Amino acid sequence: METNIQLFTVPIINRHLYMDLLLLADESKEIISGYINKGDMYAISDKDEVIGVVLFIFHADQIVELKNIALHAKCERGRVGEKD
Protein backbone atom coordinates (compact mmCIF):
# COMPACT_ATOMS: atom_id res chain seq x y z
CA MET A 1 0.00 0.00 0.00
CA GLU A 2 1.43 3.36 -1.03
CA THR A 3 1.85 6.06 1.59
CA ASN A 4 2.49 9.78 1.42
CA ILE A 5 3.66 10.57 4.95
CA GLN A 6 4.15 14.24 5.80
CA LEU A 7 4.72 16.30 8.95
CA PHE A 8 3.27 19.73 9.50
CA THR A 9 3.61 22.14 12.41
CA VAL A 10 0.60 22.52 14.68
CA PRO A 11 0.22 26.08 16.00
CA ILE A 12 -0.45 26.39 19.75
CA ILE A 13 -3.94 27.74 19.09
CA ASN A 14 -4.90 24.49 17.27
CA ARG A 15 -3.26 21.89 19.49
CA HIS A 16 -6.42 21.11 21.44
CA LEU A 17 -7.92 19.80 18.18
CA TYR A 18 -5.58 16.79 18.46
CA MET A 19 -6.50 15.84 22.04
CA ASP A 20 -7.93 12.45 21.01
CA LEU A 21 -4.61 11.46 19.47
CA LEU A 22 -2.59 12.85 22.38
CA LEU A 23 -4.71 10.77 24.75
CA LEU A 24 -3.53 7.61 23.01
CA ALA A 25 -0.10 8.19 24.56
CA ASP A 26 -0.95 9.88 27.86
CA GLU A 27 -3.32 9.14 30.73
CA SER A 28 -5.50 12.22 30.97
CA LYS A 29 -6.40 15.63 29.60
CA GLU A 30 -5.10 17.17 32.82
CA ILE A 31 -1.61 15.77 32.23
CA ILE A 32 -1.64 16.82 28.58
CA SER A 33 -2.83 20.31 29.53
CA GLY A 34 0.40 20.69 31.52
CA TYR A 35 2.55 20.49 28.39
CA ILE A 36 0.37 20.98 25.31
CA ASN A 37 1.40 24.62 24.89
CA LYS A 38 5.12 23.94 25.31
CA GLY A 39 7.66 22.93 22.69
CA ASP A 40 6.95 22.04 19.08
CA MET A 41 4.05 19.88 17.96
CA TYR A 42 3.70 18.22 14.59
CA ALA A 43 0.83 16.35 13.01
CA ILE A 44 1.60 13.30 10.90
CA SER A 45 -0.54 12.94 7.80
CA ASP A 46 -0.93 10.34 5.11
CA LYS A 47 -2.75 11.39 1.95
CA ASP A 48 -4.31 14.44 3.65
CA GLU A 49 -5.57 12.42 6.65
CA VAL A 50 -4.05 13.12 10.07
CA ILE A 51 -2.86 9.81 11.48
CA GLY A 52 -0.69 10.90 14.39
CA VAL A 53 1.04 13.56 16.43
CA VAL A 54 4.40 14.16 18.03
CA LEU A 55 5.35 16.82 20.58
CA PHE A 56 8.92 17.78 21.53
CA ILE A 57 9.95 20.01 24.43
CA PHE A 58 13.34 21.69 24.27
CA HIS A 59 15.35 22.05 27.48
CA ALA A 60 18.68 23.61 28.35
CA ASP A 61 21.97 22.07 27.22
CA GLN A 62 20.54 20.85 23.90
CA ILE A 63 18.26 18.29 25.57
CA VAL A 64 15.10 17.44 23.67
CA GLU A 65 12.28 15.58 25.39
CA LEU A 66 9.88 13.52 23.30
CA LYS A 67 6.81 14.32 25.35
CA ASN A 68 4.12 12.60 23.29
CA ILE A 69 4.01 10.48 20.18
CA ALA A 70 0.88 8.72 19.01
CA LEU A 71 -0.43 7.05 15.89
CA HIS A 72 -4.05 6.32 15.14
CA ALA A 73 -4.83 2.67 15.91
CA LYS A 74 -5.36 1.82 12.25
CA CYS A 75 -1.72 2.77 11.56
CA GLU A 76 0.03 1.05 14.45
CA ARG A 77 0.64 -2.16 12.53
CA GLY A 78 1.85 -2.25 9.00
CA ARG A 79 2.07 1.03 7.16
CA VAL A 80 3.47 3.55 9.63
CA GLY A 81 5.95 3.14 12.45
CA GLU A 82 7.44 -0.07 11.10
CA LYS A 83 10.33 -0.84 8.82
CA ASP A 84 9.65 -2.70 5.60
Side-chain angles (χ1 to χ4, degrees):
M1 181 177 282
E2 188 176 328
T3 61
N4 184 20
I5 306 298
Q6 296 182 343
L7 290 177
F8 60 90
T9 304
V10 179
I12 290 175
I13 195 167
N14 293 335
R15 292 181 181 185
H16 68 282
L17 300 173
Y18 299 91
M19 185 62 73
D20 288 345
L21 284 167
L22 293 165
L23 283 166
L24 293 174
D26 229 328
E27 298 89 24
S28 70
K29 289 182 180 181
E30 292 77 24
I31 291 172
I32 294 168
S33 293
Y35 65 77
I36 195 168
N37 294 326
K38 298 177 183 175
D40 293 344
M41 183 172 164
Y42 299 90
I44 305 161
S45 68
D46 182 14
K47 299 178 186 162
D48 298 325
E49 177 185 2
V50 173
I51 58 169
V53 292
V54 60
L55 193 145
F56 300 98
I57 296 178
F58 298 89
H59 299 283
D61 298 324
Q62 297 182 336
I63 295 171
V64 179
E65 178 182 6
L66 176 57
K67 194 66 176 176
N68 190 306
I69 185 168
L71 287 175
H72 192 282
K74 69 181 179 182
C75 300
E76 287 180 352
R77 301 206 189 282
R79 302 182 319 150
V80 180
E82 238 179 53
K83 292 183 179 181
D84 289 332

